[in-house]
Amino acid sequence: MDNIFGISMQSIMLALLIAFGLCLGVGGWIYLRQRIIFRMGIRNARRRPAQTSLIVIGLMLSTLIIAAALTTGDTLNYSVKATVLDVLQHTDELVVPVNGDDAEPNAQQSVTFPQQVAADLQAALADDPVIDGLMPVLAQPVPILNPKTQLSEPMVTAVGIDPAVLDPFGGLRDLEGNDIDLTALPEGAVVLGKTAAERIDAGIGDTLTVYIKNQPHDITVAAIAPDSILTGMQDLGQAGGFVMTLDRAQALLELPDQISFIAVSNAGGVEAGAEATDAAVAAIEAALGDAPYGAVRVKQRALNTAEEGANVFTSIFLVLGLFSIAAGILLIFLIFVLLAAERKPEMGMARAVGMKRRQLTEMFLAEGIAYDLVSALIGSALGVGVAFVIAGVMGRLVGDFFTIVPTAHWRSLVVAYSLGVVVTFVTIAISSWRISRLNIVRAIRDIPEPQRQRAGNRWLIFGILGVVLGALLMWVGADSEKLFPYSIGISVLPLSLAAALRRFGLPARPLYTVASLFVLAYWLLPDSIHQKIFPVLTGGMEMFFVSGIMMVAAATMAIIWNAEIGTTLVGLFGRTFSRWLPAVKTAVAYPLASKGRTGMTIAMFSLIVFSLVMMATIDHNFTRIFSGEEAAAGWDITATRVMNDPMPPFDQALAESGVDTSRVTATGRVRQVASYDSQIRLAGTEEWKRYTINGADASFIEHSHAPLSIRATGYDSDAAVWEALRQNPDLAVIDSVALPGPTVQIGSAANFFLQGVQPGDTTMEPIQVEIGDPVSGQTRTVTIIGVINPTVSVLYGLYVNDEAFDQVFAQPTQTMYYVQTQAGTDNVAFAKEIKAKLIAYGVQAESLEKLIEQGTGVARGFLMLVEGFMALGLVVGIAALGVIAFRSVVERRQQIGMLRAIGYSRAMVGASFLIESTMITVLGVGSGTILGLILSRNLMTSDEFTGSSGAAASFLVPWGTIALFVGIALVAALVMAYIPARKAASVPIADALRYE
């Protein structure tokens, strides 16, 4: 992986290595200049191995998350690139017909041109050092049937190549690596690709039937070869095909002297050849001159798409992993706060005998660096292990498209380790500085700092700075219409204002309560109310993290400053269980006396559970919405045909082939041009974009049940829009992917966006766009009058009627027939029947319900994978509880002795610790669950997500999944608290009282 977040990984690594060197430099400086201080810090790390191990576990989690995300990106990048190189081999560019302004050329199915073009180009580039081979190739889709197994594939690619120019392309080999001589094969013999052989269960020597212009022809399998462009595998997930010599393919396909593209091999080999693409394309275009042909950067484009896909996936993991990283940072602060609390008398004595604050900070830094270097190393190693587990899960999800090969790149590991060290070091440095600011007398006597009615001037200064910063961010966000700075500003401002007002003696509880409730109201107000109060701004995926951080911070503040209400409940509880009342009161009082550490622990659990609840709820509702009744637009079966050979009307073809058409209630046809084969741009603009374009017949428009999320003014119903589209070739509707927003798009397969309309709008002004065919050069202006609701998941692209489509496009990329069936029909079986009966026409039929289930299954698989990755954050919370529980026993050893001396039994002491841990966990888990459910409900029922249809009005909660997360957290809390609680209860009274 070479880039992430648009920044070069090489630059990131160098910057982090410099920062890592500075961290080591600080440690080295302390060792050289303050060797005794350094040894005192290191001694503390060696004193208690068990607790040191727990601290290292807590510190390593941030590095683990980073390493896992980066290694996952490396795995995806390597796996897709390896598959691309295996398929393309030495083929770096393709020369194809092209026309149209600014058209990006692309190979098109069934489009052929004279073979003489290849001969002329070979002569022109014979002496070019950049290009070491050109080969004319004929590649056409055909249906194939294995009579022995009765398995068929409606579309494989019949390939013809010229063996005389095959050597620069690496030759042709079978699965065992043996060379294959195509010229030595008998008449009618072919080399079958590996995937095609598996799909129809064919072996060497089998006789297969292919259909050319609807007529059967027999071919014999002479050998089976790995999938590549030479054996018909032109895209990941396809069935591949078979290969023979070019002259035999031209005769079989009845295309004499015709080819589909010219394959070009650059000098430098399989991988390095792509680096010469720019020079090769320049040479090809110079040789072609004004001829209507162009070079497709097929390998470069595929490798770039692989890189972009890996970057997007890594970015998603990193953004979602920020919750766990933030929890890990809180844990680091918490660890050092607890260490300071335990060593408070020791630090006071050190200050009393002459140690300066700076030296106290250096001592903690030395100890922290020791933890840091070890924990980051362990985190990096475990992160690789987690990434390999993720790779195994992804392999099962996308195994039909490419093979996932777990890969760890040294550069990513250096970045993960260095970043983990730097983040942890900075956190330790800040907490160490904060720890060193203590009162010597109070520290020696181990008494708390007095509670002041008025805050110090520092609170006033920081509060004013926060107010100014918040106001500035709000202004920047409103001016740029960006939600990210505005939301941070409006969240920071009230909290900073409350901090500043404390300087003037105002009570803290009402100040922070009002401020935190305002922040929660901003984030949790329903969308309909929110838009009336606050400006409508745009945001992306980063808002998921920002919302979690801000809401959890506000909710935690409200809980901590109002937790005294719990003492009242404890009193009521004690009336019934008076025996345990002292233990319960002790369990409640201690956390309230340390609001900072208690708040950090609650925030850790709340952050993690919030993110998990959000993802689980979105997953649950996503499945329901996008696989609901509207998903198939009222159709039951889709039959796809890629070939352009003559075929009777679909209804007639069904009847003539013997299909029982009594089960069919309606059919419709959509001819589709894929995004790479089409052009689109807003009227009045110059640059062409890419988008899928569909031509729908009258029957499809009439019988579809596809609600619209946005209608143009002048149309009072969805039916009016569709009827206008049926009658008027100047009109169009489009899917919601064209709306501007945080849609993740990889490559340039769909890069067109509308202007003047936003997600959540219900009406729009008609928008004129120009569509074009890059091959024929024909264009037409149409007016978009509606946006299809995203709940209709089977319809994608721009839709015009048949008349408009015929005027622009010479031929479709594929033709799709839609079938409505009678109630009670087994659509899976009926689709198989249609596929079997129409095999001669190359028709691939599938049940739409099955396709939607498969599609949402893959999406849900990835969402569950992300949930599992985010669930690593629970380890942070569990580690936090362990750290708190173990350190609390050490810190409060004398207090335990006093409690035992005044009459607390061992059971009461142990119960006090258990109740304390459970209470903190319940508050954090409850806060995160409630916040996650409210925000996810607002999201899933908002117009931006469901459009104007209200499809998600019945919001569903995945109670089972949430109960699992909550159960894990609570059980972990009890387990992690039980051991130290039992240890605390067993401390002898005399030993505890004289403990130092």
Side-chain angles (χ1 to χ4, degrees), residues 454 500 976:
R454 288 173 177 266
M976 294 303 292

Side-chain angles (χ1 to χ4, degrees), residues 157 277 322 433 503 601 981:
T157 305
T277 294
L322 286 176
W433 172 81
R503 176 65 182 81
T601 310

Side-chain angles (χ1 to χ4, degrees), residues 634-821:
W635 300 99
D636 299 299
I637 292 173
T638 178
T640 304
R641 185 171 186 261
V642 176
M643 298 176 299
N644 289 302
D645 293 337
M647 174 178 168
F650 188 65
D651 291 337
Q652 179 182 338
L654 290 176
E656 291 178 351
S657 61
V659 175
D660 181 8
T661 56
S662 64
R663 290 174 285 179
V664 177
T665 59
T667 61
R669 185 191 67 184
V670 173
R671 289 175 294 168
Q672 185 178 87
V673 178
S675 55
Y676 273 124
D677 297 334
S678 64
Q679 297 174 321
I680 186 172
R681 62 187 176 190
L682 293 169
T685 61
E686 296 184 359
E687 184 180 0
W688 286 107
K689 303 290 186 178
R690 298 291 182 185
Y691 215 75
T692 301
I693 298 177
N694 304 276
D697 69 1
S699 180
F700 176 83
I701 297 173
E702 179 182 352
H703 292 96
S704 292
H705 304 294
L708 304 175
S709 58
I710 306 175
R711 294 193 300 266
T713 54
Y715 297 90
D716 57 3
S717 67
D718 294 350
V721 172
W722 287 108
E723 179 60 22
L725 176 71
R726 186 179 70 85
Q727 296 182 0
N728 192 338
D730 295 325
L731 301 180
V733 297
I734 199 167
D735 67 344
S736 61
V737 176
L739 297 176
T743 306
V744 177
Q745 294 180 340
I746 301 173
S748 57
N751 59 7
F752 170 76
F753 293 99
L754 298 175
Q755 293 181 3
V757 60
Q758 297 289 335
D761 292 345
T762 57
T763 60
M764 58 181 278
E765 293 300 320
I767 299 175
Q768 286 192 333
V769 298
E770 191 175 359
I771 59 176
D773 185 347
V775 175
S776 67
Q778 296 293 319
T779 63
R780 182 186 180 91
T781 299
V782 296
T783 302
I784 296 175
I785 59 171
V787 177
I788 301 172
N789 195 291
T791 58
V792 188
S793 56
V794 301
L795 302 187
Y796 57 95
L798 179 135
Y799 285 80
V800 297
N801 67 20
D802 265 350
E803 181 181 346
F805 188 89
D806 289 334
Q807 290 177 1
V808 178
F809 297 100
Q811 60 184 22
T813 305
Q814 63 180 1
T815 301
M816 295 176 292
Y817 302 96
Y818 290 86
V819 181
Q820 287 180 359
T821 61

Side-chain angles (χ1 to χ4, degrees), residues 101-126:
D101 299 333
D102 300 325
E104 181 182 355
N106 192 67
Q108 291 185 304
Q109 296 279 8
S110 304
V111 175
T112 62
F113 57 97
Q115 184 177 344
Q116 184 60 39
V117 176
D120 296 340
L121 193 59
Q122 284 174 327
L125 297 173

Side-chain angles (χ1 to χ4, degrees), residues 44-383:
N44 286 325
R46 297 198 303 261
R47 286 171 62 187
R48 298 183 178 90
Q51 295 183 39
T52 297
S53 300
L54 194 60
I55 291 171
V56 169
I57 291 173
L59 296 183
M60 78 177 185
L61 292 170
S62 295
T63 309
L64 185 153
I65 298 294
I66 297 167
L70 294 179
T71 305
T72 301
D74 286 336
T75 295
L76 277 175
N77 189 32
Y78 175 83
S79 300
V80 179
K81 282 187 174 181
T83 303
V84 167
L85 294 176
D86 285 344
V87 169
L88 293 178
Q89 293 291 319
H90 291 267
T91 301
D92 297 290
E93 297 88 32
L94 304 178
V95 178
V96 299
V98 63
N99 200 351
D101 299 333
D102 300 325
E104 181 182 355
N106 192 67
Q108 291 185 304
Q109 296 279 8
S110 304
V111 175
T112 62
F113 57 97
Q115 184 177 344
Q116 184 60 39
V117 176
D120 296 340
L121 193 59
Q122 284 174 327
L125 297 173
D127 299 325
D128 194 296
V130 178
I131 297 173
D132 62 7
L134 289 96
M135 179 170 61
V137 178
L138 179 62
Q140 296 293 296
V142 297
I144 192 169
L145 170 69
N146 185 352
K148 184 173 70 174
T149 62
Q150 288 300 303
L151 293 176
S152 63
E153 190 63 36
M155 191 194 80
V156 298
T157 305
V159 179
I161 59 177
D162 185 355
V165 292
L166 186 57
D167 287 344
F169 293 86
L172 192 64
R173 295 177 177 83
D174 63 16
L175 295 178
E176 285 73 37
N178 301 314
D179 290 332
I180 299 174
D181 184 2
L182 284 178
T183 59
L185 298 183
E187 187 73 23
V190 302
V191 177
L192 190 63
K194 180 175 180 290
T195 297
E198 292 173 349
R199 295 266 183 105
I200 60 174
D201 193 17
I204 296 175
D206 286 352
T207 298
L208 311 177
T209 301
V210 295
Y211 294 86
I212 312 298
K213 295 184 179 180
N214 307 329
Q215 299 300 315
H217 297 265
D218 289 339
I219 58 174
T220 303
V221 180
I224 298 177
D227 293 323
S228 72
I229 194 171
L230 299 180
T231 57
M233 182 64 74
Q234 298 182 355
D235 202 358
L236 302 182
Q238 289 184 342
F242 58 87
V243 61
M244 60 183 72
T245 61
L246 179 59
D247 55 344
R248 291 178 178 177
Q250 289 171 336
L252 177 67
L253 297 169
E254 302 179 20
L255 292 168
D257 300 322
Q258 293 290 302
I259 59 175
S260 301
F261 57 83
I262 304 170
V264 181
S265 173
N266 299 340
V270 173
E271 188 168 1
E275 300 174 3
T277 294
D278 292 341
V281 170
I284 293 169
E285 291 178 347
L288 290 171
D290 296 331
Y293 304 99
V296 182
R297 303 167 183 261
V298 58
K299 184 179 290 184
Q300 186 184 78
R301 189 168 67 188
L303 293 176
N304 289 341
T305 300
E307 174 76 16
E308 290 178 23
N311 291 345
V312 168
F313 204 88
T314 304
S315 301
I316 291 172
F317 265 56
L318 281 177
V319 170
L320 297 178
L322 286 176
F323 286 100
S324 298
I325 294 172
I329 292 173
L330 288 175
L331 177 57
I332 297 170
F333 274 112
L334 185 62
I335 287 172
F336 279 83
V337 167
L338 289 170
L339 289 175
E342 175 199 343
R343 302 173 190 168
K344 192 173 181 179
E346 177 186 331
M347 292 189 295
M349 290 297 297
R351 292 280 285 116
V353 298
M355 183 180 286
K356 299 178 181 179
R357 283 182 175 176
R358 173 177 55 81
Q359 292 173 320
L360 200 58
T361 302
E362 291 169 351
M363 184 178 70
F364 272 99
L365 272 176
E367 181 180 356
I369 289 173
Y371 295 139
D372 190 7
L373 295 176
V374 175
S375 64
L377 186 62
I378 297 173
S380 298
L382 292 179

